[in-house]
Amino acid sequence: MQLSTVQVGAARAGVLALMLALSAAGTASAQNLTAYSRLAQQLDAAAAGAGQDSLATLKQLDAAQAALSELQPTLSSTKLSAALQDTLNAVRAAQARTPAELQAQVQLARGLMRKALYDQTMNLLATTPANGSDHLKLLARELDVEPASVQTDVQAGHLNRAAWKLQQSATAKLQAALGSVQVQQSGAAYLNLARAAGWFTVVQDAARSVDPPLKPEQFSLALTQLSGGQLGELQGSLRSLRGGVAALSTSLKTPAAQTDSPVKGVVNSSKPPVSVPPVTPPAKPSPATPPAATPGANTGAATAASLPRTAGADAAYASLGRALSATTRADLPATRRALQDALTALTKAPAALRGAPGYGALVQRVKFMAGRAALRPADVQALIGDLSTLEARQAGKSGSVMTALASGTALALGGGVRAMLALLLALACAAPLYLLNLAFGGKNPFWRAISAALLLLLLPTLAEGLLGFLGWLGDTLNVPFLRGLLALTPGQSAFGVPLRMLVTALALGLATYGFRGLCVQFGLLGGRRPAGPRPAPKPKQPDQTSFDWDEEL
């Protein structure tokens, strides 16, 4: 899997994560363990499903944001809380880029979570041990330590021994992840290095005691070198990191003396994070297979996978991702708020991005979409593609033709225009259905099956036209119930794809049954009809409005 300089952003996030992972100050406090568990579950699910179902991943990230909002008030470090929020924003921005980057950002976020839980649990056990039992159980599971073992140590008054067991386990995971990093520009190497950086976050305070001290900047430098294809320099960095981790593992062979602080090495630092400078993309890309683009995103998202990242673009991507998630559930007020956030992020973007050709047009399109009625997911996907095109132009590249076509279509065919055209098509469906019933709607079951098949084939068009028009009307008149009908249209979210496939399968079955029956009736299948005079047709009743082909045949 070929890496690109877009993943340097994960290195920057790694520095933020590692340097801002500070311990609780002053009095010990308890975390909201339910919110912690929900946040971990949603992040892990988003990483596991990266590159498969973009809409499902967006919903998982929305749930993760809600869980983080509940967890943040119970975190004792405001800097750590802000770092978690920044990392979650980076995870959301990575959704519009590559699965490998999303998974790496999740690893950094999980490292921050474990660090916060470790520090607060240790401080809580040191001050009020009776209140830290549940925290210790969750922490032990997070670090893959038997909960009963560390609880026994705490109950016996050996808190340092419990902390030692936890640090040993985290260091072993750090050593395993770092040992899996190959000196090659691949997605697997990048993900393993990000995983190692996440585990280092948990034990970074203990790592200060080794000689020479192991520092977060070493991980960020290695991530930068890997992203930039500087494999010679990466080999030296990995050698230094592995030596430092080996020294850390050696220092943890025995527990610290009981007279030491139970939370060894925990400090409160105001030192600002060290930023990683931008790097030049590799001149010759690796022949490895590039990571697959996230399904559901606009084709321009694939273009962004080979571009440098900017803070303004990341914030805009995160807001557009929230807007896309809101449109899938027909929450149009939330969609418009997210588009306004994206507009704000674009106006605060660095000068290089604002000076790229097409920046003014993109800002105008975002403004236009924020005021459009009955916004649909395709409208927001087009904006994501436009943003990726802007990044391409900033890097001196041309944008995707498909992205430009999608953007033009979204601008011309949306809102009331789309609703009216879809309604006209839905009403036009009545003509063939009526004429088919008039011509062949007798007692013949085969013709009735064919009529039902045609109805099923036209059902998505009928649903899109009627529900789409009512949703547009509800959004225009601010009627939430009618606006919510947009969520039931076939093209609104991922559920419409399997539903349409099911309806099509039923229609094909009915049509096959009907046409086969007619072929048998005509003698084209299953043998010829017996020779002999045909029975005289029954006289047509005066009130009969359809021609009974079964009787005539």
Side-chain angles (χ1 to χ4, degrees):
M1 202 185 306
Q2 180 183 347
L3 282 179
S4 58
T5 54
V6 67
Q7 293 172 329
V8 175
R12 295 192 184 101
V15 176
L16 272 174
L18 295 171
M19 293 301 293
L20 290 177
L22 304 177
S23 305
T27 59
S29 59
Q31 285 190 27
N32 185 335
L33 299 185
T34 302
Y36 181 101
S37 299
R38 278 207 317 273
L39 177 58
Q41 180 183 9
Q42 297 299 333
L43 285 176
D44 291 344
Q52 299 175 18
D53 186 342
S54 60
L55 295 177
T57 302
L58 283 171
K59 291 179 180 179
Q60 288 160 350
L61 294 181
D62 284 341
Q65 180 60 63
L68 178 58
S69 298
E70 294 182 25
L71 177 64
Q72 282 179 315
T74 64
L75 295 176
S76 57
S77 170
T78 56
K79 290 184 178 180
L80 180 57
S81 175
L84 264 174
Q85 182 61 69
D86 290 343
T87 308
L88 187 56
N89 289 341
V91 174
R92 190 182 293 277
Q95 166 67 10
R97 298 180 184 273
T98 65
E101 185 184 352
L102 186 147
Q103 292 168 345
Q105 296 285 5
V106 167
Q107 291 299 324
L108 296 173
R110 295 288 281 119
L112 281 170
M113 292 171 61
R114 295 184 181 108
K115 172 63 175 173
L117 182 63
Y118 175 85
D119 286 348
Q120 288 186 242
T121 299
M122 291 296 105
N123 281 305
L124 194 63
L125 291 173
T127 54
T128 54
N131 297 331
S133 177
D134 292 337
H135 287 68
L136 186 59
K137 288 180 182 178
L138 178 58
L139 178 61
R141 288 195 296 268
E142 283 281 83
L143 301 185
D144 200 18
V145 176
E146 179 61 40
S149 173
V150 288
Q151 283 186 321
T152 300
D153 290 329
V154 171
Q155 291 169 358
H158 303 302
L159 182 55
N160 276 37
R161 186 173 184 83
W164 166 69
K165 289 180 179 179
L166 296 169
Q167 289 176 344
Q168 262 197 330
S169 180
T171 302
K173 292 184 177 297
L174 163 60
Q175 201 163 20
L178 197 58
S180 301
V181 179
Q182 301 294 323
V183 185
Q184 59 184 18
Q185 199 175 19
S186 67
Y190 184 82
L191 187 57
N192 283 324
L193 187 53
R195 183 178 290 111
W199 282 112
F200 175 75
T201 307
V202 182
V203 295
Q204 66 169 334
D205 297 316
R208 295 191 181 104
S209 62
V210 301
D211 188 22
L214 198 58
K215 299 178 180 180
E217 292 92 329
Q218 295 172 259
F219 285 90
S220 65
L221 177 61
L223 283 166
T224 302
Q225 292 166 345
L226 178 56
S227 299
Q230 304 169 16
L231 301 185
E233 295 83 347
L234 174 64
Q235 191 168 13
S237 294
L238 288 178
R239 190 182 304 111
S240 175
L241 282 172
R242 286 166 180 161
V245 173
L248 174 62
S249 180
T250 301
S251 71
L252 292 174
K253 281 187 176 180
T254 58
Q258 186 62 26
T259 55
D260 292 344
S261 168
V263 193
K264 183 179 179 180
V266 170
V267 295
N268 294 293
S269 171
S270 58
K271 182 180 179 181
V274 177
S275 61
V276 177
V279 297
T280 305
K284 294 182 180 180
S286 169
T289 304
T294 304
N298 196 279
T299 52
T303 306
S306 59
L307 303 172
R309 290 171 55 174
T310 58
D314 278 354
Y317 272 121
S319 298
L320 290 175
R322 283 190 289 269
L324 180 59
S325 177
T327 54
T328 61
R329 59 179 185 272
D331 188 356
L332 299 186
T335 301
R336 295 187 180 97
R337 289 194 298 270
L339 289 179
Q340 289 295 336
D341 292 341
L343 187 62
T344 302
L346 286 173
T347 58
K348 295 180 179 179
L353 186 66
R354 287 186 282 113
Y359 170 80
L362 174 60
V363 170
Q364 291 303 318
R365 283 194 291 273
V366 175
K367 288 181 180 178
F368 175 76
M369 289 298 184
R372 169 177 278 182
L375 278 165
R376 308 299 290 272
D379 297 330
V380 183
Q381 288 174 351
L383 292 177
I384 294 175
D386 290 337
L387 181 54
S388 70
T389 299
L390 182 66
E391 285 187 300
R393 290 173 178 171
Q394 178 195 354
K397 301 180 181 180
S398 59
S400 167
V401 175
M402 294 301 297
T403 300
L405 289 175
S407 177
T409 303
L411 285 173
L413 189 64
V417 175
R418 173 174 176 164
M420 291 297 181
L421 289 177
L423 179 63
L424 289 176
L425 287 175
L427 295 176
C429 291
L433 291 172
Y434 169 75
L435 293 175
L436 180 62
N437 180 71
L438 183 64
F440 307 112
K443 298 178 181 179
N444 191 315
F446 305 127
W447 283 117
R448 291 202 298 270
I450 294 171
S451 299
L454 180 60
L455 176 61
L456 287 175
L457 288 175
L458 293 175
L459 190 59
T461 304
L462 288 166
E464 181 68 36
L466 296 177
L467 297 177
F469 175 77
L470 291 175
W472 169 78
L473 193 64
D475 192 37
T476 303
L477 301 177
N478 195 23
V479 181
F481 171 74
L482 292 179
R483 181 167 53 211
L485 294 177
L486 285 173
L488 303 178
T489 55
Q492 191 72 10
S493 62
F495 81 88
V497 176
L499 186 61
R500 190 161 190 164
M501 293 173 65
L502 176 61
V503 170
T504 303
L506 290 175
L508 290 174
L510 287 171
T512 302
Y513 166 77
F515 283 116
R516 184 186 183 283
L518 290 179
C519 288
V520 172
Q521 205 168 34
F522 277 104
L524 300 175
L525 290 175
R528 305 292 298 178
R529 291 177 61 127
R534 291 185 179 181
K538 296 181 180 179
K540 186 176 179 179
Q541 299 298 325
D543 59 345
Q544 187 175 356
T545 58
S546 63
F547 194 78
D548 198 331
W549 286 82
D550 183 32
E551 296 175 358
E552 290 303 316
L553 290 172

